[in-house]
Tab-separated table of all heavy atoms in Angstrom:
chain	number	residue	atom	x	y	z
A	1	ARG	N	0.842	-1.214	0.012
A	1	ARG	CA	-0.002	-0.011	-0.015
A	1	ARG	C	0.874	1.269	0.002
A	1	ARG	O	1.920	1.315	0.634
A	1	ARG	CB	-0.920	0.006	1.226
A	1	ARG	CG	-1.915	-1.159	1.186
A	1	ARG	CD	-2.831	-1.163	2.396
A	1	ARG	NE	-2.110	-1.555	3.618
A	1	ARG	CZ	-2.112	-2.800	4.104
A	1	ARG	NH1	-2.767	-3.756	3.478
A	1	ARG	NH2	-1.476	-3.069	5.229
A	2	PHE	N	0.383	2.294	-0.713
A	2	PHE	CA	1.080	3.561	-0.831
A	2	PHE	C	0.342	4.667	-0.101
A	2	PHE	O	-0.875	4.829	-0.259
A	2	PHE	CB	1.200	3.936	-2.308
A	2	PHE	CG	2.065	2.991	-3.113
A	2	PHE	CD1	1.568	1.785	-3.582
A	2	PHE	CD2	3.376	3.326	-3.432
A	2	PHE	CE1	2.344	0.911	-4.312
A	2	PHE	CE2	4.169	2.464	-4.159
A	2	PHE	CZ	3.655	1.252	-4.626
A	3	HIS	N	1.092	5.465	0.702
A	3	HIS	CA	0.521	6.567	1.462
A	3	HIS	C	1.332	7.839	1.144
A	3	HIS	O	2.086	8.316	2.023
A	3	HIS	CB	0.568	6.246	2.954
A	3	HIS	CG	-0.050	4.933	3.305
A	3	HIS	ND1	-1.400	4.776	3.562
A	3	HIS	CD2	0.540	3.705	3.505
A	3	HIS	CE1	-1.623	3.501	3.864
A	3	HIS	NE2	-0.477	2.827	3.802
A	4	PRO	N	1.129	8.426	-0.027
A	4	PRO	CA	2.000	9.557	-0.440
A	4	PRO	C	1.813	10.826	0.386
A	4	PRO	O	2.695	11.655	0.425
A	4	PRO	CB	1.629	9.768	-1.892
A	4	PRO	CG	0.238	9.208	-2.024
A	4	PRO	CD	0.203	8.043	-1.078
A	5	TRP	N	0.671	10.969	1.006
A	5	TRP	CA	0.395	12.213	1.738
A	5	TRP	C	0.637	12.058	3.247
A	5	TRP	O	0.383	13.004	4.009
A	5	TRP	CB	-1.018	12.675	1.477
A	5	TRP	CG	-1.318	12.754	0.003
A	5	TRP	CD1	-2.231	12.035	-0.696
A	5	TRP	CD2	-0.654	13.597	-0.976
A	5	TRP	NE1	-2.199	12.366	-2.028
A	5	TRP	CE2	-1.243	13.314	-2.225
A	5	TRP	CE3	0.351	14.562	-0.885
A	5	TRP	CZ2	-0.842	13.969	-3.384
A	5	TRP	CZ3	0.753	15.203	-2.054
A	5	TRP	CH2	0.145	14.907	-3.285
A	6	ASP	N	1.115	10.925	3.651
A	6	ASP	CA	1.398	10.710	5.068
A	6	ASP	C	2.869	10.405	5.264
A	6	ASP	O	3.489	9.682	4.447
A	6	ASP	CB	0.584	9.533	5.619
A	6	ASP	CG	-0.912	9.772	5.526
A	6	ASP	OD1	-1.333	10.892	5.774
A	6	ASP	OD2	-1.645	8.831	5.145
A	7	SER	N	3.456	10.960	6.307
A	7	SER	CA	4.852	10.686	6.607
A	7	SER	C	4.992	10.176	8.023
A	7	SER	O	4.250	10.589	8.936
A	7	SER	CB	5.727	11.958	6.432
A	7	SER	OG	5.806	12.330	5.083
A	8	LEU	N	5.918	9.263	8.228
A	8	LEU	CA	6.224	8.764	9.564
A	8	LEU	C	7.123	9.733	10.314
A	8	LEU	O	7.807	10.562	9.686
A	8	LEU	CB	6.851	7.366	9.464
A	8	LEU	CG	5.973	6.304	8.771
A	8	LEU	CD1	6.718	4.974	8.696
A	8	LEU	CD2	4.655	6.141	9.482
A	9	PRO	N	7.170	9.672	11.640
A	9	PRO	CA	7.810	10.718	12.419
A	9	PRO	C	9.292	10.930	12.171
A	9	PRO	O	9.752	12.095	12.119
A	9	PRO	CB	7.597	10.248	13.894
A	9	PRO	CG	6.462	9.307	13.832
A	9	PRO	CD	6.542	8.651	12.488
A	10	PHE	N	10.090	9.893	12.018
A	10	PHE	CA	11.546	10.037	12.009
A	10	PHE	C	12.101	10.550	10.691
A	10	PHE	O	13.049	11.366	10.707
A	10	PHE	CB	12.170	8.681	12.342
A	10	PHE	CG	13.670	8.719	12.366
A	10	PHE	CD1	14.360	9.323	13.406
A	10	PHE	CD2	14.419	8.104	11.370
A	10	PHE	CE1	15.750	9.384	13.465
A	10	PHE	CE2	15.819	8.122	11.408
A	10	PHE	CZ	16.490	8.778	12.438
A	11	HIS	N	11.524	10.129	9.567
A	11	HIS	CA	12.092	10.491	8.255
A	11	HIS	C	11.009	10.343	7.221
A	11	HIS	O	10.127	9.507	7.349
A	11	HIS	CB	13.302	9.578	7.961
A	11	HIS	CG	14.160	10.027	6.813
A	11	HIS	ND1	13.823	9.792	5.509
A	11	HIS	CD2	15.327	10.689	6.784
A	11	HIS	CE1	14.779	10.299	4.725
A	11	HIS	NE2	15.698	10.830	5.483
A	12	VAL	N	11.119	11.145	6.154
A	12	VAL	CA	10.094	11.103	5.111
A	12	VAL	C	10.076	9.806	4.321
A	12	VAL	O	9.077	9.426	3.754
A	12	VAL	CB	10.238	12.319	4.181
A	12	VAL	CG1	11.490	12.188	3.353
A	12	VAL	CG2	9.019	12.504	3.305
A	13	ASN	N	11.217	9.091	4.317
A	13	ASN	CA	11.298	7.794	3.581
A	13	ASN	C	10.994	6.656	4.558
A	13	ASN	O	11.915	5.937	5.029
A	13	ASN	CB	12.667	7.610	2.956
A	13	ASN	CG	12.903	8.487	1.749
A	13	ASN	OD1	11.977	8.882	1.085
A	13	ASN	ND2	14.152	8.835	1.492
A	14	GLY	N	9.733	6.467	4.931
A	14	GLY	CA	9.377	5.481	5.887
A	14	GLY	C	8.576	4.327	5.317
A	14	GLY	O	7.896	4.462	4.301
A	15	MET	N	8.671	3.150	5.971
A	15	MET	CA	7.899	1.975	5.543
A	15	MET	C	7.646	1.093	6.745
A	15	MET	O	8.487	0.975	7.628
A	15	MET	CB	8.637	1.231	4.429
A	15	MET	CG	10.089	0.924	4.711
A	15	MET	SD	11.067	0.507	3.239
A	15	MET	CE	12.573	1.425	3.620
A	16	ILE	N	6.477	0.466	6.754
A	16	ILE	CA	6.097	-0.429	7.833
A	16	ILE	C	5.857	-1.811	7.257
A	16	ILE	O	5.050	-1.961	6.338
A	16	ILE	CB	4.858	0.064	8.605
A	16	ILE	CG1	5.132	1.404	9.262
A	16	ILE	CG2	4.417	-0.958	9.655
A	16	ILE	CD1	3.912	2.003	9.974
A	17	PHE	N	6.541	-2.816	7.803
A	17	PHE	CA	6.329	-4.193	7.422
A	17	PHE	C	5.577	-4.916	8.513
A	17	PHE	O	5.848	-4.740	9.693
A	17	PHE	CB	7.693	-4.903	7.211
A	17	PHE	CG	8.469	-4.442	6.007
A	17	PHE	CD1	9.148	-3.233	6.049
A	17	PHE	CD2	8.523	-5.214	4.861
A	17	PHE	CE1	9.896	-2.820	4.942
A	17	PHE	CE2	9.241	-4.810	3.742
A	17	PHE	CZ	9.913	-3.574	3.797
A	18	SER	N	4.593	-5.734	8.122
A	18	SER	CA	3.787	-6.467	9.078
A	18	SER	C	3.660	-7.923	8.618
A	18	SER	O	3.563	-8.231	7.448
A	18	SER	CB	2.395	-5.864	9.221
A	18	SER	OG	2.458	-4.486	9.545
A	19	ALA	N	3.646	-8.846	9.613
A	19	ALA	CA	3.442	-10.253	9.352
A	19	ALA	C	2.455	-10.827	10.346
A	19	ALA	O	2.459	-10.440	11.504
A	19	ALA	CB	4.789	-10.994	9.426
A	20	GLN	N	1.629	-11.752	9.861
A	20	GLN	CA	0.673	-12.446	10.748
A	20	GLN	C	0.987	-13.924	10.742
A	20	GLN	O	1.406	-14.476	9.703
A	20	GLN	CB	-0.768	-12.202	10.276
A	20	GLN	CG	-1.252	-10.762	10.425
A	20	GLN	CD	-0.788	-9.892	9.262
A	20	GLN	OE1	-0.833	-10.327	8.125
A	20	GLN	NE2	-0.332	-8.667	9.574
A	21	TYR	N	0.716	-14.568	11.890
A	21	TYR	CA	1.003	-16.006	12.067
A	21	TYR	C	-0.262	-16.743	12.386
A	21	TYR	O	-1.268	-16.147	12.806
A	21	TYR	CB	2.082	-16.215	13.131
A	21	TYR	CG	3.425	-15.618	12.789
A	21	TYR	CD1	3.690	-14.277	13.000
A	21	TYR	CD2	4.387	-16.404	12.192
A	21	TYR	CE1	4.911	-13.723	12.665
A	21	TYR	CE2	5.640	-15.881	11.863
A	21	TYR	CZ	5.881	-14.525	12.074
A	21	TYR	OH	7.093	-13.984	11.749
A	22	GLU	N	-0.267	-18.078	12.192
A	22	GLU	CA	-1.456	-18.889	12.387
A	22	GLU	C	-2.003	-18.782	13.817
A	22	GLU	O	-3.207	-18.857	14.040
A	22	GLU	CB	-1.150	-20.347	12.067
A	22	GLU	CG	-1.058	-20.654	10.582
A	22	GLU	CD	-0.942	-22.127	10.301
A	22	GLU	OE1	-0.799	-22.917	11.280
A	22	GLU	OE2	-0.983	-22.531	9.122
A	23	ASP	N	-1.122	-18.591	14.797
A	23	ASP	CA	-1.571	-18.532	16.192
A	23	ASP	C	-2.118	-17.162	16.569
A	23	ASP	O	-2.422	-16.901	17.718
A	23	ASP	CB	-0.433	-18.902	17.134
A	23	ASP	CG	0.774	-17.960	17.023
A	23	ASP	OD1	0.696	-16.971	16.262
A	23	ASP	OD2	1.771	-18.193	17.730
A	24	GLY	N	-2.230	-16.275	15.574
A	24	GLY	CA	-2.785	-14.934	15.858
A	24	GLY	C	-1.741	-13.901	16.228
A	24	GLY	O	-2.060	-12.704	16.333
A	25	SER	N	-0.492	-14.294	16.419
A	25	SER	CA	0.558	-13.324	16.760
A	25	SER	C	0.950	-12.520	15.527
A	25	SER	O	0.711	-12.946	14.393
A	25	SER	CB	1.760	-14.050	17.339
A	25	SER	OG	2.336	-14.949	16.371
A	26	GLU	N	1.565	-11.376	15.781
A	26	GLU	CA	1.957	-10.507	14.705
A	26	GLU	C	3.392	-9.987	14.916
A	26	GLU	O	3.904	-9.996	16.053
A	26	GLU	CB	1.030	-9.311	14.599
A	26	GLU	CG	-0.412	-9.689	14.265
A	26	GLU	CD	-1.313	-8.468	14.160
A	26	GLU	OE1	-0.858	-7.357	14.551
A	26	GLU	OE2	-2.433	-8.599	13.623
A	27	LEU	N	4.025	-9.569	13.846
A	27	LEU	CA	5.356	-8.991	13.872
A	27	LEU	C	5.313	-7.694	13.073
A	27	LEU	O	4.838	-7.708	11.934
A	27	LEU	CB	6.389	-9.943	13.294
A	27	LEU	CG	7.835	-9.448	13.195
A	27	LEU	CD1	8.436	-9.285	14.607
A	27	LEU	CD2	8.701	-10.400	12.372
A	28	HIS	N	5.777	-6.593	13.668
A	28	HIS	CA	5.784	-5.301	12.977
A	28	HIS	C	7.149	-4.660	13.119
A	28	HIS	O	7.775	-4.710	14.195
A	28	HIS	CB	4.735	-4.369	13.604
A	28	HIS	CG	3.338	-4.899	13.551
A	28	HIS	ND1	2.543	-4.839	12.439
A	28	HIS	CD2	2.608	-5.534	14.503
A	28	HIS	CE1	1.374	-5.379	12.714
A	28	HIS	NE2	1.382	-5.834	13.960
A	29	ARG	N	7.624	-4.022	12.078
A	29	ARG	CA	8.847	-3.241	12.130
A	29	ARG	C	8.672	-2.012	11.233
A	29	ARG	O	8.114	-2.111	10.120
A	29	ARG	CB	10.055	-4.049	11.677
A	29	ARG	CG	10.531	-5.092	12.668
A	29	ARG	CD	11.073	-4.482	13.945
A	29	ARG	NE	11.649	-5.496	14.830
A	29	ARG	CZ	10.953	-6.195	15.731
A	29	ARG	NH1	9.609	-6.034	15.811
A	29	ARG	NH2	11.522	-7.092	16.482
A	30	THR	N	9.196	-0.896	11.723
A	30	THR	CA	9.201	0.328	10.916
A	30	THR	C	10.619	0.617	10.481
A	30	THR	O	11.544	0.632	11.291
A	30	THR	CB	8.669	1.508	11.763
A	30	THR	OG1	7.321	1.240	12.186
A	30	THR	CG2	8.672	2.790	10.966
A	31	TYR	N	10.789	0.831	9.214
A	31	TYR	CA	12.092	1.119	8.636
A	31	TYR	C	12.130	2.509	7.996
A	31	TYR	O	11.110	2.984	7.507
A	31	TYR	CB	12.459	0.071	7.553
A	31	TYR	CG	12.636	-1.330	8.069
A	31	TYR	CD1	11.552	-2.185	8.195
A	31	TYR	CD2	13.902	-1.821	8.385
A	31	TYR	CE1	11.742	-3.482	8.663
A	31	TYR	CE2	14.085	-3.128	8.820
A	31	TYR	CZ	12.992	-3.959	8.973
A	31	TYR	OH	13.154	-5.254	9.407
A	32	TYR	N	13.288	3.087	7.993
A	32	TYR	CA	13.502	4.372	7.341
A	32	TYR	C	14.741	4.263	6.419
A	32	TYR	O	15.796	3.844	6.873
A	32	TYR	CB	13.723	5.517	8.355
A	32	TYR	CG	12.536	5.756	9.227
A	32	TYR	CD1	12.460	5.197	10.500
A	32	TYR	CD2	11.477	6.583	8.821
A	32	TYR	CE1	11.383	5.430	11.331
A	32	TYR	CE2	10.411	6.826	9.644
A	32	TYR	CZ	10.351	6.246	10.910
A	32	TYR	OH	9.280	6.473	11.723
A	33	SER	N	14.545	4.638	5.155
A	33	SER	CA	15.659	4.674	4.219
A	33	SER	C	16.203	6.094	4.233
A	33	SER	O	15.597	7.012	3.664
A	33	SER	CB	15.176	4.284	2.845
A	33	SER	OG	16.216	4.254	1.889
A	34	VAL	N	17.338	6.268	4.877
A	34	VAL	CA	17.811	7.620	5.212
A	34	VAL	C	18.785	8.219	4.174
A	34	VAL	O	19.374	9.268	4.423
A	34	VAL	CB	18.452	7.651	6.602
A	34	VAL	CG1	17.408	7.302	7.670
A	34	VAL	CG2	19.628	6.692	6.703
A	35	GLY	N	18.965	7.549	3.024
A	35	GLY	CA	19.808	8.088	2.006
A	35	GLY	C	21.039	7.255	1.750
A	35	GLY	O	21.638	6.681	2.690
A	36	GLY	N	21.445	7.126	0.489
A	36	GLY	CA	22.645	6.366	0.150
A	36	GLY	C	22.514	4.888	0.368
A	36	GLY	O	23.528	4.157	0.375
């Protein structure tokens, strides 16, 4: 999904990855591509 008009707090190049498992647990991480 693309959110061009929303920015995450730390840096404008932000992305959130999410994973779901059979037992209902989830894994989330927020990444920032800070240049170079």
Side-chain angles (χ1 to χ4, degrees):
R1 296 180 287 266
F2 295 79
H3 307 275
W5 308 116
D6 299 320
S7 291
L8 300 179
F10 180 72
H11 193 279
V12 69
N13 288 333
M15 50 198 139
I16 297 177
F17 290 78
S18 305
Q20 293 81 42
Y21 295 83
E22 285 187 354
D23 62 3
S25 63
E26 298 181 348
L27 178 68
H28 302 278
R29 287 294 185 274
T30 300
Y31 294 85
Y32 296 97
S33 182
V34 296

